[in-house]
Amino acid sequence: MNSDKAKVGVEKAPHRSLFKALGFIDEEMDRPLIGIANSYSELIPGHMNLDKIVKAVKDGVRMAGGVPVEFGTIGVCDGISMNHKGMSYSLPSRQIIADSVEIVAKAHALDGLVLVPNCDKIVPGMLMAAGRVNIPSIVISGGPMLAGKTNGKTTDLSSVFEAVGAVSAGKMSMEELAELERTACPTCGSCSGMFTANSMNCLSEVLGLALPYNGTIPAVFSERIRLAKKAGMRIVDLVKKGIKPSDILTEDAFMNAVAVDMALGGSTNSLLHLPAIAYECDVELNFDEINEISEKIPDVCKLSPAGHHHVEELHMAGGIPAVVNGLFKKGLLHKDCMTVTGKTLYENVKNAEIKNSDVIRMDHPYSTTGGLAILRGNLAPDGAV
């Protein structure tokens, strides 16, 4: 095991002494050392439940015979940081998160990693770390927020942004705005639309580093806790089998992620983050190929802010497995990409069904082409998304 570098041999007696200072017993020294990167925070609604996710992960790791060791990372809530100087710190935080996970994993000779993010820059930061460190790794996110209900109308964070303009235009009262503030974001979780956080959490399934339904199980569902336990169990098996991110994060896997992002009408920021993750895996994303993919991929979902559906509805409609299987049936994705389940992406989703064709419009898409395009011209000679 990789952790033997810090545990085995006479010369490692001081190291073992320090492990025992942590409360380790001899029986734990012979088991896989699984690092859990926890981005829990009391400043981010999407991260306030990650302590519960991590507890479930630890349960899973111990059930499978591993030793869980938790460490923390930073995180920024893009919603709270925007519209003031704070937004200057959001994207740089991605690099710091990746660096911090790498430092802990390498310095402590971990055998495997469970990455527990949820929001905008934290998810890609941890995926970048997985590619860079290249030890067995799995992602389990905190899950999406439920949509709000305001005076009988479904609302979300976008509704509050829109309301600011309505108040300024004299079309909404301050009392109505206050009611919306109280009700639009009703639970923990990443904001309930297909913004960057939920886009990247969904694509972590497609890339193969997360278990099916990681992107769509709501944060408040017990199903999320069960998935976290399964992720904890899976990482021990990945360590035993030596399955690493380099076996999973291939060029075909990234092309699949781009295609599914287009089918979902996902965030344009995906094309900010996917190339950064690919870079850590020595994979180059050719932006000229993205328009070729867009010409073939139908836009089958319209979730907030583009439409009126939310991620919880996508989950009930069959989740990412249903979308991916629908695209497989049309011959639009690479079938043989390995995933953390130990099976291919196709094997993971081949039995998934679309349960609501109003939410996943595979047979009557909103558009016959994808939701993203690369534009080039005098304003953006190197391209723009």
Side-chain angles (χ1 to χ4, degrees), residues 150-151 160 163-182:
T150 308
N151 298 322
V160 189
V164 173
V167 170
S168 299
K171 297 179 180 179
M172 178 181 284
S173 69
M174 288 298 294
E175 290 76 17
E176 290 172 313
L177 177 62
E179 175 66 12
L180 189 58
E181 283 182 38
R182 287 192 294 268

Side-chain angles (χ1 to χ4, degrees), residues 1 7 20 23-32 62 65-67:
M1 293 185 293
K7 296 187 303 186
K20 289 179 179 179
F24 277 49
I25 58 176
D26 289 336
E27 287 81 357
E28 289 177 301
M29 296 294 185
D30 299 326
R31 299 183 179 189
R62 290 201 181 280
V67 180

Side-chain angles (χ1 to χ4, degrees), residues 226-247:
R226 296 196 294 270
L227 191 74
K229 290 180 181 178
K230 290 179 181 177
M233 296 177 74
R234 279 303 307 158
I235 188 61
V236 177
D237 195 50
L238 291 171
V239 169
K240 291 178 179 176
K241 293 180 178 177
I243 299 175
K244 300 178 181 179
S246 57
D247 301 313

Side-chain angles (χ1 to χ4, degrees), residues 261-263 265-266 268 294 297-299 369-373:
D261 191 50
M262 292 185 178
T268 54
S294 184
I297 300 296
D299 184 358
T369 56
L372 298 176

Side-chain angles (χ1 to χ4, degrees), residues 194 202-203 260-266 299 301-303 314 320 323:
M194 191 53 75
C202 289
L203 296 186
V260 174
D261 191 50
M262 292 185 178
L264 294 172
D299 184 358
C301 296
K302 275 205 183 298
L303 283 75
L314 176 59
I320 300 306
V323 174

Side-chain angles (χ1 to χ4, degrees), residues 43-45 75-84 86-87 89-91 93 119-122 157 161 191 196-197 269 273:
L43 271 173
I44 309 174
V76 170
C77 175
D78 275 29
I80 293 174
S81 69
M82 68 172 54
N83 199 24
H84 60 93
M87 200 59 190
Y89 294 89
S90 179
L91 186 56
S93 75
C119 290
D120 286 42
K121 306 306 184 293
I122 301 95
L157 185 63
F161 280 116
C191 297
T196 304
N269 280 342
H273 299 312

Side-chain angles (χ1 to χ4, degrees), residues 194-196 199-200 261 265-275 287 371-374 384-385:
M194 191 53 75
F195 304 102
T196 304
S199 295
M200 292 307 301
D261 191 50
S267 170
T268 54
N269 280 342
S270 300
L271 293 184
L272 174 71
H273 299 312
L274 287 173
F287 270 47
L372 298 176
I374 304 299
V385 182

